[in-house]
Amino acid sequence: KGLLSAAVCGNIFASPPTSHITAALEDLKSKHGVIVFVINYTGDRLNFGLAIERFNTHRTTEGSARMVVISDDVALEGRQEGKGVGRRGLAGSMFIMKVGWTLLEEFTIAAFPLEGKVNLFGTIGVSMSACSIPGKGPMFKLSDEEMELGLGIHGEPGCERTSLKTAKEVADLLLKRLEQSDKKCLQKGISFTQRYFGKYINYFEKFIGNLGIFADIIFS
């Protein structure tokens, strides 16, 4: 309870085929409809979008599927690499899916209010080593004295490669990047839960409270 009813996986670093997505939609179909969370990568948006379009062809609004695209990464803002595809989906997916389920305790899928809220999360990652597909070598090279900011989950290049730093220095660097984002909810001194979730704040507090941390997050 409180998580996904189904997950559709492809091969490593690849989107699942539309036939697999359609099978999951058919298995979950009901008069209430289906919410589909998709992280913002081209292959995922294409395949899930096609499957949802086919699924909805002969259905009314009540039983249809709706796609929510998650795009929380701030690493490529203002960079050429980020143009066209937009922000990538990262760790914010977990928060958005959990908040989404909580909202569905109160709202029908047809009235689901989360689409306008998914971009109110911002994340950025850091890596000390390269990822690799099993049976193959690392996708890129980092020396023992280097780290890379802003990698994608498939090993896509980040926004900056820099010398290895202490944990505190890394935290300060990541927080600075988040505060410089053009996402208003991340700007210094702004309480994003109160300002952006408005009347839905109680649902967000319920979710965050279950994690045992403060519901109202303020960068200062």
Side-chain angles (χ1 to χ4, degrees):
K1 185 177 179 180
L3 294 172
L4 299 175
S5 300
V8 189
C9 302
N11 290 329
I12 297 174
F13 295 166
S15 176
T18 55
S19 58
H20 293 187
I21 301 166
T22 300
L25 290 170
E26 291 291 343
D27 189 58
L28 296 175
K29 66 183 178 183
S30 73
K31 65 179 181 180
H32 303 294
V34 183
I35 291 287
V36 182
F37 292 96
V38 178
I39 57 175
N40 189 29
Y41 289 90
T42 303
D44 293 309
R45 293 192 65 166
L46 178 63
N47 287 4
F48 277 88
L50 286 172
I52 289 170
E53 184 177 344
R54 292 170 183 167
F55 179 79
N56 288 340
T57 300
H58 303 295
R59 286 179 170 81
T60 64
T61 302
E62 277 192 352
S64 64
R66 295 177 62 185
M67 183 164 70
V68 175
V69 178
I70 301 172
S71 51
D72 52 297
D73 184 23
V74 305
L76 300 183
E77 287 181 355
R79 295 171 63 91
Q80 187 64 36
E81 300 95 317
K83 293 182 178 179
V85 297
R87 304 174 191 274
R88 301 176 295 205
L90 292 176
S93 305
M94 184 272 290
F95 286 88
I96 292 165
M97 291 174 188
K98 186 68 175 178
V99 171
W101 177 85
T102 305
L103 287 171
L104 285 173
E105 289 187 313
E106 179 73 17
F107 297 92
T108 64
I109 287 178
F112 191 63
L114 192 59
E115 280 92 337
K117 307 299 180 184
V118 293
N119 285 323
L120 302 179
F121 290 84
T123 62
I124 185 169
V126 60
S127 178
M128 310 299 179
S129 61
C131 58
S132 62
I133 296 175
K136 297 186 177 181
M139 299 180 69
F140 57 90
K141 291 184 178 180
L142 278 176
S143 75
D144 292 339
E145 301 301 321
E146 288 183 313
M147 64 181 194
E148 187 154 350
L149 301 179
L151 269 71
I153 59 174
H154 311 109
E156 296 91 345
C159 58
E160 180 183 349
R161 186 170 294 189
T162 184
S163 60
L164 201 61
K165 303 183 185 305
T166 66
K168 183 181 185 306
E169 289 172 334
V170 171
D172 289 342
L173 183 59
L174 296 180
L175 184 57
K176 182 179 179 180
R177 287 272 182 177
L178 289 170
E179 290 177 345
Q180 290 174 342
S181 168
D182 58 18
K183 289 190 173 192
K184 291 182 179 179
C185 61
L186 298 175
Q187 292 172 5
K188 190 172 182 178
I190 293 179
S191 165
F192 72 85
T193 53
Q194 287 289 353
R195 180 168 178 178
Y196 290 96
F197 280 84
K199 64 182 179 180
Y200 307 127
I201 183 64
N202 290 334
Y203 300 98
F204 193 71
E205 287 177 340
K206 178 179 179 181
F207 164 52
I208 296 295
N210 288 341
L211 294 182
I213 59 177
F214 292 108
D216 206 15
I217 301 172
I218 302 176
F219 294 123
S220 59

